[in-house]
Amino acid sequence: MLNQKDILQTQNMIRKQHLDIRTITMGISLLDCADEDIQKCCEKIYRKITGRAKDLVRVGEEIEREFGIPIVNKRISVTPIALVAASCRTESYVEIAKTLDAAAKTCGVNFIGGFSALVQKGCTDSDWKLIRSIPEAMASTERVCASVNVGSTRAGINMDAVAEMGRIVKETARLTADNDGLGCAKLVVFANAVEDNPFMAGAFHGVGEPECVLNVGVSGPGVVYHALQSVKGQPFDTVAETVKKTAFQITRMGQLVGREASRRLGVPFGILDLSLAPTPAVGDSVARILEEMGLEVCGTHGTTAALALLNDAVKKGGVMASSHVGGLSGAFIPVSEDEGMIAAAERGTLTLSKLEAMTCVCSVGLDMIAVPGDTPAETISAIIADEAAIGMVNSKTTAVRIIPAPGKTVGDSVEMGGLLGTAPVMPVHGESSAAFIARGGRIPAPIQSLKN
């Protein structure tokens, strides 16, 4: 039960420390929308999404007003479109992307995820159609997010798909050059993608999920930062315990909102994802949490250790507060969306190589990183391969959301606006990875995949 002290403490977190429900995301199965005729398929998709999610935004806003808890985003995720559209007699799935965009606008959500393919062990014809539709789909829609899972611990890494995704990222940047390659901010390449992720741009409704489900993402970097200010100079045991207790409080609030939204919408409650997802706002930064532990600037030596402690403590605190913690749950490090990360990257302390090391211990991967616009597709593919290897070997989700900013070079910045923030263009190695990527085939799964 919540007592008066808990309520007052939570109100203070909301008013002064940027605590919020980052998203309530409704997952919707579209498997029953398959049809040989793409127009009929689109009609079924539109009707199902707008029927299921018609009250999502209204209910979210009602809970915001009644509980006084900000719910920043209301979103939808759907079954990977490469599965839904496999029977369509068409060579492009752009029309389906436009249908998703129209449905999202009708429902009033800011993003819809699931223009996706799962190709960790190989690609079907439908997978290739979806992948090759991504650049035009991202350029011709506002709210649609795409993702492709190219590797897993059980299957290894599909290097043919990795090679293609480097070219897809480059083409997406070219087609959205007028907006600094904004289309790439809506495209994620995964290893070990999860089926119940409520966060964009990588959310999709997995085939193991129910017909419809509500997943909640909670975020509170500012709350954790504030809590650590009370334990300055104390041992790491104390730091970890403080983060755990804070994560427990944050998660409990998310559990309350998730259950209430589920009841009002008549949709099963799925999971609560406790992820420290930063914003460009001052005081809402994961980087500043790491610096509060004693680092002069995020990215200096010790950053990976600090992030490992933070990520683990967040998970431990979250699982005590909810019986269904899932999604990604941990600490995100999207450069453009984190005021402290932006400052560290501009200073040169936070580099691509250091970020890659940090992804070994955080929740996701190389996220919202801008690189020079003339970066070769093969280099982007190699960056994706490196990150997929980290996920594969460590049995964790990793991802790449990278923006080869058209016409930009190191020292420039990319303005994404809103929660997407500002990305300083970071240097990449000039030495070629082309011959490595040209090999194709599949990197075998690691020995730890043999668990039966």
Side-chain angles (χ1 to χ4, degrees):
M1 292 292 292
L2 293 175
N3 57 40
Q4 187 177 26
K5 181 181 178 183
D6 291 329
I7 293 170
L8 291 174
Q9 195 169 36
T10 301
Q11 288 176 339
N12 190 55
M13 291 176 181
I14 292 168
R15 286 198 309 268
K16 299 180 180 179
Q17 299 162 26
H18 301 280
L19 176 62
D20 58 51
I21 303 294
R22 187 54 50 87
T23 180
I24 53 173
T25 301
M26 180 178 286
I28 303 172
S29 173
L30 299 183
L31 289 174
D32 59 350
C33 297
D35 199 291
E36 287 187 353
D37 185 321
I38 190 170
Q39 293 304 321
K40 290 181 180 178
C41 181
C42 288
E43 289 169 8
K44 291 177 182 179
I45 287 172
Y46 181 83
R47 282 201 307 268
K48 185 157 190 187
I49 292 172
T50 55
R52 286 284 188 173
K54 65 181 185 301
D55 296 323
L56 177 62
V57 171
R58 177 184 61 78
V59 167
E61 291 174 347
E62 285 176 358
I63 293 173
E64 279 188 274
R65 290 193 298 269
E66 293 174 27
F67 287 50
I69 298 172
I71 302 175
V72 180
N73 300 299
K74 296 85 179 173
R75 296 168 171 170
I76 298 168
S77 64
V78 298
T79 309
I81 292 299
L83 299 176
V84 179
S87 61
C88 290
R89 294 181 177 178
T90 181
E91 292 304 311
S92 170
Y93 295 158
V94 172
E95 283 305 310
I96 296 179
K98 292 179 179 178
T99 298
L100 294 175
D101 202 44
K105 289 175 181 176
T106 297
C107 294
V109 299
N110 69 325
F111 283 124
I112 183 167
F115 197 75
S116 308
L118 311 178
V119 301
Q120 56 268 24
K121 206 170 183 178
C123 293
T124 65
D125 290 343
S126 183
D127 292 327
W128 284 125
K129 289 176 185 178
L130 182 130
I131 288 170
R132 289 164 182 163
S133 298
I134 287 174
E136 186 180 349
M138 295 300 96
S140 59
T141 62
E142 295 177 18
R143 309 185 189 198
V144 176
C145 293
S147 60
V148 178
N149 191 71
V150 298
S152 73
T153 301
R154 293 288 292 185
I157 303 172
N158 181 349
M159 291 300 292
D160 293 323
V162 168
E164 184 67 11
M165 288 312 299
R167 295 187 284 269
I168 292 298
V169 169
K170 285 282 289 185
E171 180 65 5
T172 302
R174 186 186 72 80
L175 291 182
T176 56
D178 290 346
N179 292 315
D180 280 349
L182 179 63
C184 296
K186 302 187 293 173
L187 170 59
V188 184
V189 186
F190 276 115
N192 289 322
V194 297
E195 296 189 340
D196 55 5
N197 172 20
F199 285 96
M200 297 298 172
F204 61 86
H205 186 70
V207 294
E209 294 289 299
E211 181 71 15
C212 189
V213 71
L214 195 73
N215 298 318
V216 176
V218 186
S219 184
V223 179
V224 175
Y225 172 74
H226 180 82
L228 291 185
Q229 290 180 317
S230 66
V231 294
K232 287 183 182 292
Q234 296 189 38
F236 283 113
D237 314 71
T238 304
V239 172
E241 194 64 26
T242 301
V243 174
K244 280 168 55 181
K245 290 178 179 177
T246 306
F248 177 88
Q249 292 176 295
I250 296 170
T251 305
R252 187 166 54 177
M253 182 199 71
Q255 175 87 354
L256 175 68
V257 170
R259 291 291 185 190
E260 183 63 19
S262 170
R263 183 186 67 79
R264 296 188 187 193
L265 288 165
V267 173
F269 176 65
I271 59 91
L272 192 140
D273 184 328
L274 172 62
S275 290
L276 298 185
T279 71
V282 174
D284 201 27
S285 162
V286 169
R288 300 305 185 194
I289 296 173
L290 305 180
E291 291 169 357
E292 184 60 29
M293 292 187 198
L295 304 172
E296 183 178 354
V297 178
C298 177
T300 193
H301 306 296
T303 299
T304 306
L307 183 59
L309 181 154
L310 176 65
N311 203 60
D312 180 66
V314 164
K315 291 179 187 292
K316 288 175 177 174
V319 297
M320 294 299 293
S322 173
S323 55
H324 296 291
V325 172
L328 299 166
S329 289
F332 290 178
I333 52 171
V335 174
S336 78
E337 298 174 12
D338 186 306
E339 167 268 326
M341 296 277 178
I342 294 168
E346 290 175 339
R347 183 166 173 168
T349 309
L350 189 65
T351 63
L352 199 59
S353 296
K354 185 60 178 178
L355 281 163
E356 184 179 298
M358 292 164 68
T359 64
C360 296
V361 299
C362 78
S363 280
V364 195
L366 296 172
D367 196 11
M368 288 302 290
I369 292 167
V371 296
D374 61 358
T375 302
E378 295 84 359
T379 298
I380 293 172
S381 294
I383 291 170
I384 292 169
D386 283 342
E387 200 59 34
I390 290 171
M392 176 184 71
V393 172
N394 291 287
S395 301
K396 70 183 294 292
T397 303
T398 53
V400 174
R401 190 162 46 147
I402 191 167
I403 304 151
K408 300 288 180 76
T409 189
V410 177
D412 295 331
S413 62
V414 176
E415 297 292 338
M416 295 292 171
L419 285 175
L420 297 176
T422 302
V425 178
M426 302 178 74
V428 299
H429 293 303
E431 292 76 13
S432 176
S433 305
F436 173 76
I437 295 300
R439 287 178 177 272
R442 187 152 53 97
I443 293 179
I447 190 66
Q448 59 264 40
S449 68
L450 301 178
K451 292 182 178 181
N452 289 339

